[in-house]
Amino acid sequence: MGDEAARAAIEAVWRLESTRLIAALVRIVRDVALAEDVAQDAIVAALAQWPATGIPDNPAAWLMTTAKRRAIDTFRSRARHDQAAAALARDLAETVDDDPGAGIDHVEDDVLRLMFICCHPALTSEMQTTLTLKLVAGLSAREIARAYLAPEATIAQRISRAKRTLAEAGAAIEEPSAPERAERLSTVLGVVYLLFNEGYAATEGEHWMRPALCEEAVRLGRILTALVPADPEVHGLSALMELQSSRLRARAGSDGEPILLDAQDRSRWDAARIRRGLAALARAHELAAAQDAEPGQYALQAAIAAEHARAASVDDTDWNRVALLYEQLGRLTGSPVVELNRAVALGRAQGPEAGLALLDQLEQLPSLRGYHLVPSVRGDLYERLGRGDDAAAEFDRAAAMTANASERALLQRRAIAARAQAGAAARPLGETI
Amino acid sequence: MTMIKMDETALSSETPPGVYEAMGAFAQEGRVNGTLVELGGLMPSSAGAIVSLANGRIKAVDGPFAEARELVGGYAVIDVRSREEAVELGRRLMQIHLDNWPGWEGSCEIRQIAGS
């Protein structure tokens, strides 16, 4: 094997193994930073040996054994011949062999615990998402930097600050209690969804989407369904992300400019993802029904995405059902952004006036002040009513309020189009779609 | 997508239980590192058919296909970040057969699903 090929193969092994390797090491050494260090040491050792010896039959066991040896060395050099080192040595003596499961027992619990640690409440949400990408998804600081379009140094700093914060907080590595588990699970779901959203609609910068972040979030969602198979919301989140991401290819044009739902070429939606999303949603509904529970916020959002996925076109969409689902979601979350979406759905289901009536109420809310989608939705509804000049003014307002460059460009284009519409001969109402 | 190909005519033994167990472990691992989307084994070609188009005519022929040397025995849809990761998973699928199925010979073809 050539050096380059060997390196690529070892990187691939690392990608496949790092999550459970680090997860198991965290359980054993009870220190996130140390676990990661010794795991890295093991991969360095692999880089030195595998090009000559070939990849071992069980690379995971090899890496685990090597990492544990490093951990023992570290404990010894710290002159701490304490119980941990002794226990570790005993553990190692028992498990160094080629048995596939050796030393990597409780895989599911380990990985789940690692996710809980990455989402520790002492960390900021930025640190949580970054650490999850680093430790659970196995991405390097360079790759995370590329996905976030941030300098590598910033990401590296964020990671080391996160680890320091964890150490200072004395982050509990122990098994969380049942109520703690439930609470932290919802944090984990929140972090994964945050990651997805950051990729799906970047809050700032030049790019409309960062698909790499979406892809990692979808993958993390799938991992969670394997780790916590009985929780309806876990399947709901996975369904939501599969369904939303099925549209990734259709959401941007060749120059990366955004393409809105109305204008998307639905034949470019990923059918396999839609199928998986619908299956996960069905599972979420089944589990919720079996537990006599109402659908949660992710399952409801997934149900909305499913309505779009099932419809052959915008006109074919069951907008009444979408509006109803938004109403349910609004009751559950109390989120004004959900209400804003309901205004859009109502505008489609019952006509623009119905949408505007709800929007008038929403504009009183202080929390929506400064949110660019409010004038954007208003512009859209005016446009449907044939009030081109009013629509253009709203799109201009919205463009001035967004921090995302390609979204701003889109809104400016819509303003120009609305002005052109106003300039054209007055068209009968209702024919503007 | 990975497709495991084997010589069906040379196959004298049933799939050993160890292969199923090892495949189960492989699948569980794939779910925990997020790489596995779908995994399936295929029934012998005697249970299948080939529908073909030649000279402007469509015809269906039931299996088994005596003339076929290699047949697909199983497949897995995986979601990985690089060709190397796919190859490594293919290597492990072959390792499972080597460890659990004496005398088995075959291959794992790896193809990228278009558009992904």
Side-chain angles (χ1 to χ4, degrees), chain A residues 8 12-13 15-17 20 55-57 59 107-108 111 137 139 216 219 222-223 226 249 273 275-276, chain B residues 28-29 31-38 77 79-82 84-85 88-89 91-92 95 99 114-115:
Chain A
V13 169
R15 281 304 189 57
L16 297 169
E17 299 302 341
R20 60 181 195 156
I55 295 178
D57 292 347
V107 169
E108 288 84 351
V111 175
L139 299 190
E216 290 309 328
R219 201 191 303 269
R222 287 187 200 144
I223 293 177
R249 267 183 287 160
R273 285 241 163 131
R275 193 164 49 79
R276 282 203 294 281
Chain B
Q28 186 54 24
E29 240 184 81
R31 282 190 275 271
V32 172
N33 62 30
T35 56
L36 186 71
V37 178
E38 256 171 68
V77 178
D79 187 353
V80 291
R81 305 174 183 97
S82 68
E84 284 76 15
E85 271 183 66
E88 171 60 20
L89 288 177
R91 203 187 59 79
R92 289 188 198 178
Q95 187 74 40
D99 293 344

Side-chain angles (χ1 to χ4, degrees), chain A residues 90-247:
Chain A
R90 206 166 46 243
D91 189 20
L92 184 62
E94 283 164 8
T95 56
V96 180
D97 58 22
D98 239 6
D99 178 16
I104 318 176
D105 43 0
H106 324 299
V107 169
E108 288 84 351
D109 283 353
D110 284 346
V111 175
L112 191 58
R113 189 185 298 118
L114 185 61
M115 283 192 157
F116 284 156
I117 292 170
C118 291
C119 299
H120 194 279
L123 304 177
T124 65
S125 66
E126 272 183 334
M127 289 180 186
Q128 290 176 338
T129 52
T130 305
L131 206 58
T132 304
L133 282 175
K134 180 81 166 46
L135 298 184
V136 185
L139 299 190
S140 67
R142 180 170 48 86
E143 288 163 322
I144 299 170
R146 207 163 52 207
Y148 269 120
L149 309 171
E152 190 177 338
T154 308
I155 297 296
Q157 235 173 25
R158 191 182 296 165
I159 292 168
S160 63
R161 248 187 304 133
K163 286 192 208 156
R164 207 165 50 234
T165 309
L166 279 183
E168 281 163 8
I173 313 284
E174 296 80 37
E175 201 64 45
S177 67
E180 270 173 354
R181 245 178 118 96
E183 194 188 305
R184 290 210 208 160
L185 179 61
S186 76
T187 310
V188 171
L189 296 182
V191 165
V192 173
Y193 191 44
L194 193 70
L195 199 61
F196 182 83
N197 271 332
E198 194 52 41
Y200 200 67
T203 43
E204 52 187 65
E206 299 297 316
H207 296 259
W208 159 243
M209 293 183 287
R210 292 163 203 166
L213 287 176
C214 287
E215 296 299 335
E216 290 309 328
V218 169
R219 201 191 303 269
L220 290 168
R222 287 187 200 144
I223 293 177
L224 278 167
T225 60
L227 299 179
V228 200
D231 188 289
E233 272 296 80
V234 168
H235 292 273
L237 176 62
S238 185
L240 173 60
M241 295 191 300
E242 298 271 8
L243 287 168
Q244 298 282 61
S245 67
S246 74
R247 299 184 211 145

